């Protein structure tokens, strides 16, 4: 049974039920998530949208096991996250989750290639050479692989970060505003790369963004507002995303 | 601006603390030195004046002529003083050798005990702590000697008189020698004045103590006594005497002060490096903050001022802290000395105003000076930097200027070292080599950022392989900011260099002298008397020769003669002894000839074949032919030798000063020892030294010296460790997001901790490797300039332990920063920056 077959058998990569997250206590308590039920399908590219402060990053952190939840449950594949200790969460992140952050994604002391291989090294796993070549091919960096991050452009850095997330064949990749710091051309390259990864490599990606154009690259968009899931769109276009946002603001 | 600076400082108490501790330790050491020596000095002058209070006028002999024995005041002069009107009483203090015999029948201690006169009545200056003052047939002992040798009041003790005959006394009391260093060192036996003269054989007095009659002023009496005695005597009032004694003692303790301060300065230098590094890192980290200040209108001057002000506040607070540390260190050292039974006056440790001023000013100046360069860097931050997001990586490029400076220092340093090596061994050569060492060290400081990379690859080779991904990341981190790494490790290098230097020097000196001992004295036992001037009867040597266990017995006699105008120690040896001749030959060593040690021959500018005039007590002045010059570097043969019959003719019947004994092959050491001991048993002053004992005595002396020096250097090393901890925690702070990223990618907490620990380990190893290299090279160079024909010993175990300990120390320094980094929440860290 190959990994792809396993994923087919489990239709949903990430499932959250009744997710709540409260920061602080008493009067100062902030209810960042107030009961979110959401499912992210395998081999799909899903975007999480919402106005600033709506709880997008919090949701992503809770789904990825980077932060503890206040209530509800999260499953990555068949593993329930809530109740896992730090060590188990770390192992889970190693084996099943990939990350792309908005900035500071790469270790400045390592070359682009070393950065890409880093998750495998940490996990003590061998790189799948076929996959590695394909990823390198798709990332389109070619001769710049031996350069340090400081010598790469912002767009190139983000593509290296995506390549790094892909290389360990995680069950799901979480990307938090991966194009937030990029100009629109570099942003488009990174988004295209993400979409290609889903289409051609069968990767599952969940991306947080507040940019309707970025969201339109996804297969599906879910909308957050005030810590609640309020709406969702399939096969979004920039216009349809913008329209939905406007109705939410109103 | 002031308020911004202070608010910034308060917001970062921890980094303030670490920096402060570094400077506080440096200041503390210096202040502690002053506290210690001040307290000792004050104690001495207190006891001197308490002592001298009992005397109105004191008479001491003048300096006396060159080469004469210790001058004394004769009994006739005591009578004269007693006759001076206004003198109520006068006593003469007797002091001389009176060897106490221990319970094993041998004289106690390395030196014979000193016999002193104890006076009855008001002029008694010794403090009898138990029992009574001695009368005829009685004696008192100083408390320490009594305790160590196991005597108590009521016992009978044996003391050798001036003819080395044993005499018995009833021990009637114990006394305190106070701050008299000589008595404390040798131990003391007190007698009534008459017995004291008899026992010591001293004809004169070392001091006359005079009590004034009622109503006679001490200075008037002093003048009267001085007039009665005439020239050649020093007559002082009790007060003057106390002041003079205190001043003479002060000179001694100033030597101690200077010695300790040297170590204090090394510590301050290391602290300055730590501060410099801390401020450099802070400025780099706050570049954005400062750019923001520039954006809203702060001038370069204000930025500069705010950093300098920050350093001033840190410097002032930590110097004040340092003064407290110094007070504690001083008090602690006093307590330790007290516990070790060092006879020092006790007193409460206190900070003199002078100490406070020096501590504060020094701490403040060093801190501010160390912050000047970083402050200047801060002014270069462009306002636009406030808008940049990614922190720039600190790439380092080797500048022309740096290379030139490094080259100059290195050339100068190596040049001076080679020059020193070419010179004849001596102080000048040593100083030149040490100067070369300092220049080379400067070259290493300048080169530091360039050599850190290759060194970290070297030092990190094993850790990178042993510790997997965290290890490899750590090694990469250790070299990412070469300037910072260099400054951090240089601080450690200073301490390790000095430690290694000391250990190489000690090892080499030990080996050199050890081999000289072996070469010159291939003997198993040496018999000698406790006192240099007494001798052993020839019967001992005869007895030894009759023993089948012993293979060879060599007797050495010595006596004083004159060579022209100068005193010289002449001697003769009897038995199978090979003199190592440098020139000439011992074959013609018969009546009418003489042999000389190389140093003496050189001094007198004579060579074999020359005539020398030797003046002896019985032989008058005789002209002798120099037949051989021998290697005199071994101190046990006299520098001038004549054949035995000639010696007896010139000096009469003289006992043996030393007897060297070799054990026959196949005889066990302890059986031989019994035989040798038996021969000397009847003579209390005869002591037996085996060559292994001599060696171990010498080794022990060297070891304890090394321990003390290493302890003093330990402080500099401790401060440099604070530097590593500081750099690391600031780096950790800087890399908060990076750590969070690694954790998100699956690095466990222990792995993150390990990564930081290995980084510190590598830094520690780099510092140690450079230090060990410099220390070994310059230890080798230094020993070449200190003695002729030195042997070089690299105490591998000690030196490698420095490397291992430095690495470990780095690991310890990483404990807290690593813990903090591992505990940080990933989400919180991702958001920061
Ligand atoms: N560590 C925290 N402590 C307190 N409140 C927080 C913390 N992180 C986020 N919040 C609050 O939770 C809410 C959701 O934040 P976030 O998930 O970052 O929103 P988004 O990513 O959609 O902008 C906001 O009101 C924010 O202020
Ligand atoms: Mg966000």
């Amino acid at each position: 049974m190959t990994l792809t077959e396993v994923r087919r058998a489990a239709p949903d990569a990430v499932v959250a039920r009744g997710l709540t997250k409260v920061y602080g206590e008493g009067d100062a308590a902030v209810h960042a998530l107030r009961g979110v039920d959401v499912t992210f399908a395998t081999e799909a590219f899903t975007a999480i949208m919402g106005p600033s402060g709506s709880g997008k990053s919090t949701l992503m952190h809770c789904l990825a096991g980077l932060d503890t939840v206040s209530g509800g449950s999260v499953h990555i594949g068949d593993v329930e996250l809530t109740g896992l200790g730090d060590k188990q969460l770390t192992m889970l992140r190693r084996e099943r989750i990939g990350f792309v952050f908005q900035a500071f994604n790469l270790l400045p002391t390592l070359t682009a290639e070393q950065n890409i291989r880093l998750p495998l090294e940490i996990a003590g796993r061998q790189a799948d050479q076929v996959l590695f070549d394909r990823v390198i091919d798709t990332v389109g960096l070619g001769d710049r692989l031996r350069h340090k991050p400081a010598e790469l452009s912002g767009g190139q850095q983000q593509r290296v970060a995506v390549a790094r997330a892909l290389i360990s064949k995680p069950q799901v990749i979480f990307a938090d505003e991966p194009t937030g710091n990029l100009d629109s051309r570099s942003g488009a390259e990174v988004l295209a790369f993400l979409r290609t990864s889903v289409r051609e490599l069968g990767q599952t990606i969940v991306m947080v963004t507040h940019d309707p154009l970025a969201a339109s690259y996804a297969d599906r968009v879910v909308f957050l507002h005030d810590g609640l899931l309020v709406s969702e769109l399939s096969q979004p276009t920039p216009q349809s995303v913008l329209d939905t946002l406007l109705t939410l603001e109103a | 601006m002031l308020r911004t600076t202070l608010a910034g400082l308060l917001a970062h108490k921890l980094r303030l603390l670490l920096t402060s501790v570094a400077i506080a330790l440096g200041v503390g050491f210096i202040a502690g030195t002053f506290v210690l020596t001040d307290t000792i000095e004050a104690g001495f002058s207190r006891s001197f004046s308490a002592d001298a209070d009992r005397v109105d006028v004191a008479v001491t002999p003048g300096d006396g002529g060159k080469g004469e024995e210790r001058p004394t005041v004769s009994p006739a002069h005591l009578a004269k003083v007693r006759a001076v009107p206004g003198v109520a009483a006068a006593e003469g203090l007797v002091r001389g050798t009176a060897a106490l015999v221990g319970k094993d029948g041998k004289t106690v201690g390395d030196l014979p005990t000193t016999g002193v006169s104890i006076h009855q009545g008001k002029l008694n200056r010794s403090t009898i702590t138990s029992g009574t003052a001695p009368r005829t047939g009685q004696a008192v002992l100083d408390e320490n000697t009594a305790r160590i040798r196991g005597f108590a009041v009521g016992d009978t003790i044996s003391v050798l008189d001036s003819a080395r005959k044993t005499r018995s006394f009833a021990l009637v009391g114990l006394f305190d020698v106070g701050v008299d260093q000589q008595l404390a060192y040798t131990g003391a036996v007190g007698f009534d004045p008459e017995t004291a003269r008899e026992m010591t054989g001293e004809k004169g007095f070392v001091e006359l103590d005079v009590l004034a009659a009622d109503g006679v002023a001490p200075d008037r009496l002093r003048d009267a006594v001085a007039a009665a005695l005439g020239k050649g005597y020093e007559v002082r009032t009790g007060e003057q005497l106390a002041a003079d004694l205190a001043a003479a003692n002060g000179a001694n303790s100033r030597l101690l002060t200077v010695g300790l301060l040297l170590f204090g300065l090394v510590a301050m230098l290391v602290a300055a490096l730590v501060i410099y590094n801390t401020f450099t890192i802070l400025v780099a980290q706050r570049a954005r903050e400062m750019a923001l200040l520039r954006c809203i209108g702060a001038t370069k001057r204000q930025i500069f001022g705010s950093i300098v002000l920050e350093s001033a506040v840190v410097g002032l607070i930590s110097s004040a802290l340092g003064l407290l540390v110094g007070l504690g260190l001083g008090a602690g050292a006093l307590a330790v000395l007290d516990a070790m039974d060092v006879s020092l006056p006790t007193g409460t440790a206190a900070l003199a105003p002078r100490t406070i001023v020096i501590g504060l000013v020094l701490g403040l100046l060093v801190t501010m000076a160390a912050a000047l360069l970083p402050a200047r860097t801060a002014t270069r931050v462009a306002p636009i930097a406030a808008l940049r997001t990614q922190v720039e990586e600190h790439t380092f490029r080797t500048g022309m200027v740096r290379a030139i400076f490094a080259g100059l220092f290195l050339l100068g340093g190596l040049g001076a070292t080679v020059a020193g090596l070419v010179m004849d061994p001596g102080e000048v050569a040593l100083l030149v080599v040490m100067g070369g060492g300092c220049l080379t060290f400067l070259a290493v400081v300048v080169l530091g950022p360039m050599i850190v990379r290759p060194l970290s690859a070297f030092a990190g080779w094993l850790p990178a392989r042993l510790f997997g991904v965290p290890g490899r990341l750590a090694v990469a981190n250790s070299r990412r900011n070469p300037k910072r790494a260099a400054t951090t490790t240089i601080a450690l290098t200073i301490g390790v260099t000095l430690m290694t230097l000391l250990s190489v020097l000690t090892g080499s000196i030990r080996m050199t002298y050890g081999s000289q001992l072996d070469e010159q004295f291939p003997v198993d036992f040496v018999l000698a008397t406790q006192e240099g001037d007494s001798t052993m009867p020839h019967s001992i040597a005869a007895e030894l020769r009759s023993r089948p266990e012993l293979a060879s017995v060599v007797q050495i006699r010595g006596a004083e003669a004159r060579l022209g105008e100068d005193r010289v120690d002449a001697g003769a040896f009897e038995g199978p002894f090979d003199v190592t001749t440098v020139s000439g030959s011992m074959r013609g060593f018969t009546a009418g000839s003489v042999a000389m040690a190389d140093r003496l021959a050189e001094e007198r500018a004579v060579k074999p074949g020359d005539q020398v005039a030797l003046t002896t007590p019985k032989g008058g002045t005789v002209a002798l032919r120099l037949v051989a010059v021998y290697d005199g570097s071994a101190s046990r043969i006299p520098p001038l030798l004549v054949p035995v019959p000639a010696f007896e003719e010139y000096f009469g019947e003289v006992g043996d000063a030393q007897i060297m004994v070799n054990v026959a092959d196949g005889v066990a050491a302890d059986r031989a020892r019994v035989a040798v001991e038996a021969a000397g048993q009847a003579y209390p002053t005869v002591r037996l030294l085996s060559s292994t004992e001599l060696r171990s005595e010498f080794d022990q002396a060297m070891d304890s010296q090394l321990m003390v020096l290493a302890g003093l250097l330990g402080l500099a090393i401790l401060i440099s460790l604070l530097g590593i901890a500081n750099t690391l925690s600031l780096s950790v702070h800087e890399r908060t997001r990076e750590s969070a990223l690694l954790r998100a990618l699956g690095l466990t907490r222990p792995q993150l901790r390990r990564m930081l620990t290995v980084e510190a380990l590598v830094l520690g190893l780099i510092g140690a490797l450079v230090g060990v290299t410099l220390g070994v090279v310059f230890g080798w160079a230094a020993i070449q300039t200190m003695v002729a024909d030195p042997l070089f010993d690299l105490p591998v175990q000690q030196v490698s332990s420095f490397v291992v300990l430095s690495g470990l120390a780095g690991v310890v320094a990483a404990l807290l920063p690593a813990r903090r980094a591992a505990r940080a929440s990933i989400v919180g860290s991702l958001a920061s920056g």
Side-chain angles (χ1 to χ4, degrees):
Chain A
M1 200 163 61
T2 65
L3 208 63
T4 330
E5 283 171 293
V6 175
R7 284 187 185 159
R8 290 242 160 76
D12 297 324
V14 184
V15 179
R17 290 281 163 257
L19 203 57
T20 59
K21 175 73 187 177
V22 186
Y23 291 111
E25 280 172 27
D27 284 348
V30 176
H31 294 264
L33 297 176
R34 304 194 278 185
V36 175
D37 292 292
V38 71
T39 303
F40 298 96
T42 301
E43 289 180 25
F45 185 6
T46 314
I48 303 175
M49 282 216 71
S52 181
S54 57
K56 303 184 294 290
S57 296
T58 304
L59 176 61
M60 194 201 96
H61 293 153
C62 290
L63 294 176
L66 289 175
D67 209 349
T68 53
V69 302
S70 307
S73 70
V74 176
H75 281 83
I76 301 269
D78 50 357
V79 180
E80 152 106 67
L81 258 61
T82 36
L84 291 187
D86 179 72
K87 172 98 185 165
Q88 290 155 306
L89 280 175
T90 306
M91 291 306 147
L92 183 94
R93 284 199 301 272
R94 258 188 206 181
E95 272 148 33
R96 301 198 181 204
I97 303 175
F99 289 99
V100 181
F101 298 108
Q102 181 171 358
F104 305 106
N105 253 310
L106 308 176
L107 287 197
T109 49
L110 305 182
T111 63
E113 181 174 346
Q114 286 170 331
N115 262 293
I116 293 174
R117 288 184 187 271
L118 186 59
L120 292 175
E121 297 218 355
I122 289 177
R125 291 200 320 230
Q126 276 300 315
D128 173 341
Q129 200 54 45
V130 178
L131 177 70
F132 184 80
D133 292 341
R134 248 182 103 185
V135 166
I136 293 301
D137 206 36
T138 327
V139 81
L141 275 173
D143 55 331
R144 315 228 62 167
L145 279 177
R146 295 189 188 285
H147 289 240
K148 294 274 173 74
E151 297 156 332
L152 301 176
S153 74
Q156 289 171 329
Q157 288 182 16
Q158 287 304 78
R159 278 185 287 159
V160 171
V162 175
R164 178 192 59 203
L166 289 170
I167 203 76
S168 54
K169 288 190 276 188
Q171 205 153 4
V172 54
I173 292 177
F174 290 104
D176 191 357
E177 311 255 12
T179 58
N181 277 359
L182 302 181
D183 58 84
S184 55
R185 233 192 81 205
S186 311
E189 275 171 19
V190 171
L191 289 164
F193 184 29
L194 285 172
R195 189 165 56 188
T196 316
S197 315
V198 175
R199 301 276 148 82
E200 294 182 7
L201 301 174
Q203 186 60 58
T204 308
I205 297 181
V206 176
M207 174 179 76
V208 168
T209 180
H210 63 255
D211 173 14
L213 191 64
S216 70
Y217 279 79
D219 302 319
R220 172 180 166 236
V221 185
V222 298
F223 292 88
L224 267 183
H225 190 74
D226 251 353
L228 282 172
L229 203 67
V230 287
S231 175
E232 67 168 87
L233 271 177
S234 279
Q235 309 305 324
T237 61
Q239 195 54 49
S240 64
V241 174
L242 200 58
D243 291 343
T244 316
L245 276 180
L246 287 175
T247 53
L248 287 177
E249 299 280 309
Chain B
M1 213 61 205
L2 175 65
R3 208 172 303 155
T4 323
T5 305
L6 294 181
L9 271 175
L10 280 179
H12 302 96
K13 289 188 210 73
L14 186 73
R15 88 178 174 219
L16 181 70
L17 188 78
L18 276 171
T19 324
S20 298
V21 171
I23 203 77
L25 284 179
V27 170
F29 189 88
I30 288 175
T33 301
F34 283 121
V35 169
L36 177 68
T37 50
D38 281 355
T39 313
I40 292 176
E41 244 177 87
F44 269 116
S45 33
R46 212 168 341 97
S47 21
F48 286 136
S49 40
D51 201 23
D53 253 0
R54 306 186 193 168
V55 183
D56 290 319
V57 171
V59 179
T60 44
D63 279 339
K66 182 189 167 199
E68 268 177 44
E69 282 197 19
R70 195 165 44 128
T72 52
V73 185
S74 70
H77 284 93
L78 175 59
K80 266 191 206 168
V81 170
R82 282 191 172 135
V84 172
V87 170
E91 291 286 1
L93 300 188
V94 178
R95 182 174 285 204
T97 301
L100 173 70
V101 179
K103 295 196 160 163
D104 59 353
K106 292 282 181 182
T107 50
V108 303
D110 290 334
L111 287 174
T113 49
T114 305
V116 295
S117 58
I118 305 251
H119 300 266
Q120 305 279 350
K122 274 197 160 174
L123 275 174
N124 175 21
R125 279 171 63 183
S126 352
T127 318
I128 304 284
T129 50
S130 68
T132 59
R135 293 175 185 282
T136 315
Q138 301 177 334
V140 292
L141 272 182
D142 79 274
E143 287 175 307
N144 236 359
T145 306
R147 185 168 47 77
I148 295 169
R149 305 299 165 187
F151 290 113
V153 173
D155 289 355
T156 301
I157 58 169
S158 301
V159 184
L160 298 187
D161 66 11
S162 54
R164 266 103 209 170
K165 291 229 167 54
T166 308
R167 288 183 41 185
S168 298
F169 295 90
L171 184 61
V172 295
L174 302 180
F175 73 107
D176 181 7
V177 297
V179 295
D180 192 313
Q181 298 299 300
Q182 189 205 342
L183 295 191
Y185 185 56
T186 63
V189 195
F191 306 101
D192 67 283
E194 202 44 48
T195 315
R197 268 225 300 273
E198 248 176 74
M199 292 297 293
T200 60
E202 295 287 340
K203 299 192 176 55
F205 305 109
V206 291
E207 184 181 321
L208 302 185
D209 289 345
V210 182
L211 205 61
D214 281 345
V216 179
D219 35 356
R220 296 272 299 281
L221 187 63
R222 176 196 59 200
D223 296 343
V225 171
L229 286 175
K231 270 198 177 151
Y233 296 92
E234 206 163 340
V235 185
R236 286 173 286 189
T237 61
E239 232 169 86
Q240 277 174 328
L241 180 69
D244 288 352
L245 285 174
N249 188 69
N252 277 339
S253 71
R254 255 184 298 289
L255 212 64
L256 174 69
T257 314
V258 170
L260 285 175
L261 282 184
L262 275 181
F263 287 93
L265 288 181
V266 171
M268 279 308 271
L269 176 67
V270 174
L273 276 170
V274 169
I275 293 165
Y276 164 77
N277 213 21
T278 307
F279 273 93
T280 308
I281 301 173
L282 289 181
V283 165
Q285 287 182 355
R286 289 190 314 192
R288 211 185 311 177
E289 189 184 311
M290 280 175 307
L292 191 66
L293 284 171
R294 296 272 282 129
C295 278
I296 60 174
T299 63
K300 283 188 172 192
R301 256 184 100 122
Q302 281 173 314
I303 299 283
F304 183 81
S306 84
I307 306 275
V308 173
L309 181 66
E310 178 166 342
S311 72
V313 175
V314 172
L316 207 60
I317 293 176
S318 23
S319 309
L321 242 139
L323 290 177
L324 292 181
V325 171
L327 195 58
L329 279 179
L334 282 172
V336 168
L337 289 176
D338 200 37
M340 285 184 351
D341 263 332
V342 178
S343 95
L344 285 175
T346 45
T348 35
L351 286 168
R354 185 257 274 116
T355 312
I356 297 179
V357 171
I358 290 182
L360 287 182
V361 169
L362 198 67
L364 194 61
L365 282 185
V366 168
T367 317
M368 287 176 70
L372 278 184
L373 270 181
R376 212 170 65 108
T377 314
T379 61
R380 302 222 187 99
V381 175
I384 191 70
L387 310 173
R388 292 195 195 121
T389 41
Q390 177 97 34
V391 186
E392 284 161 67
E393 274 300 296
H394 303 265
T395 44
F396 174 82
R397 256 172 255 102
T398 310
M400 216 29 204
V401 185
R402 186 175 283 272
I404 290 174
F405 265 103
L408 285 180
F409 281 135
L410 201 61
L411 269 181
L414 295 181
T417 310
V418 170
L421 286 175
V422 177
M423 287 184 209
D424 283 337
E427 243 169 66
V428 182
L430 179 63
L431 282 178
V432 171
V433 163
M434 287 295 118
C438 290
L439 281 177
T440 312
F441 189 81
L442 279 181
V444 171
V445 171
V446 178
L447 277 175
M450 298 185 227
I451 55 178
V452 148
R453 266 165 193 276
L455 278 176
S456 80
F458 178 68
W461 189 83
L462 195 62
R465 269 151 196 78
L466 276 183
F467 298 104
V469 182
R472 259 169 294 153
L473 291 173
V475 174
N477 278 336
S478 71
R479 58 210 282 188
R480 70 196 282 178
N481 193 331
K483 246 179 162 169
R484 186 186 296 181
T487 324
T488 309
T489 50
I490 279 288
L492 180 63
T493 301
I494 294 178
V496 175
T497 304
L498 292 175
M499 285 272 212
T500 311
L501 187 86
L502 283 177
S503 112
V504 167
L505 277 184
T506 323
S508 299
I509 289 175
R510 171 182 304 179
M511 194 181 240
T512 305
Y513 283 120
S515 90
Q516 281 179 0
L517 273 181
D518 291 346
E519 229 175 78
Q520 305 289 334
F521 292 100
V523 291
D524 300 313
F525 294 102
V526 173
L527 285 151
T529 56
Q530 184 185 40
E531 302 154 65
D533 59 342
S534 72
T535 57
M536 296 170 281
H538 295 304
S539 58
I540 298 184
E543 156 93 19
L544 289 169
R545 285 210 175 88
S546 72
R547 287 298 194 145
E549 296 96 329
L550 309 178
S552 72
V553 176
V554 177
Q555 294 161 263
I556 294 180
R557 315 178 198 188
E560 216 169 83
R562 278 178 189 277
L563 204 53
E565 282 304 298
D566 301 315
R567 271 181 43 192
V568 65
D569 290 318
F573 67 90
E574 197 174 351
F577 181 70
D578 278 330
V579 176
T580 323
T581 49
V582 177
S583 59
S585 156
M586 291 299 278
R587 212 164 296 157
F589 190 54
T590 49
S593 59
V594 64
M596 272 190 204
D598 43 5
R599 199 164 285 179
L600 182 65
E602 205 173 294
E603 218 173 82
R604 313 283 316 175
V606 288
K607 54 185 190 311
D610 289 356
Q611 297 277 328
V612 295
L614 189 72
T615 310
T616 61
K618 297 230 157 98
T621 304
V622 285
L624 299 174
R625 198 167 49 84
L626 182 63
V627 295
V629 173
Y630 54 86
D631 181 0
S633 53
S635 54
R636 280 176 186 275
I637 10 174
L640 185 145
L641 289 174
V642 294
V644 172
F647 186 87
E648 284 179 351
E649 188 186 309
Y650 302 153
F651 300 100
E653 186 62 31
V654 178
D656 294 325
Q658 288 180 53
I659 305 172
M660 301 188 289
V661 179
N662 260 332
V663 178
D665 283 344
V667 175
D670 45 347
R671 213 157 65 78
R673 190 182 179 98
V674 170
V676 181
E677 263 174 0
Q681 189 56 48
Y683 306 91
T685 59
V686 172
R687 47 192 45 233
L688 176 62
L689 286 171
S690 72
S691 55
T692 41
E693 275 167 12
L694 273 176
R695 263 303 249 298
S696 76
E697 253 172 45
F698 182 68
D699 285 357
Q700 261 171 21
M702 295 293 284
D703 277 344
S704 52
Q705 247 174 41
L706 184 66
M707 287 251 295
V708 170
L709 294 176
L712 292 173
L713 279 178
L715 184 76
I717 293 190
L718 183 68
I719 295 178
S720 59
L721 291 186
L722 283 172
I724 295 189
N726 211 1
T727 306
L728 211 61
S729 71
L730 288 165
S731 299
V732 162
H733 175 77
E734 209 167 63
R735 298 187 217 138
T736 309
R737 299 192 62 138
E738 228 174 282
S739 302
L741 175 68
L742 282 167
R743 291 270 290 124
L745 292 181
L747 211 64
T748 60
R749 282 196 169 129
Q751 281 180 316
L752 186 66
R753 267 203 303 270
R754 198 177 313 150
M755 180 182 93
L756 293 165
T757 308
V758 172
E759 182 176 348
L761 173 79
V762 170
L763 285 181
L765 287 179
I766 294 176
L769 285 176
V770 177
V772 161
T773 312
L774 285 175
V776 168
V777 169
F778 285 94
W780 174 83
I783 188 78
Q784 308 298 320
T785 65
M786 288 168 84
V787 282
D789 304 324
L791 294 175
F792 173 71
D793 177 44
L794 179 64
V796 176
Q797 227 179 336
Q798 267 173 25
V799 170
S800 39
S801 76
F802 295 155
V803 178
V804 172
L805 285 179
S806 302
L808 277 184
V811 169
V812 171
L815 278 181
L816 273 182
R819 218 168 76 120
R820 268 227 325 244
R823 276 195 175 174
S825 104
I826 303 176
V827 175
S829 303
L830 281 173
S832 79

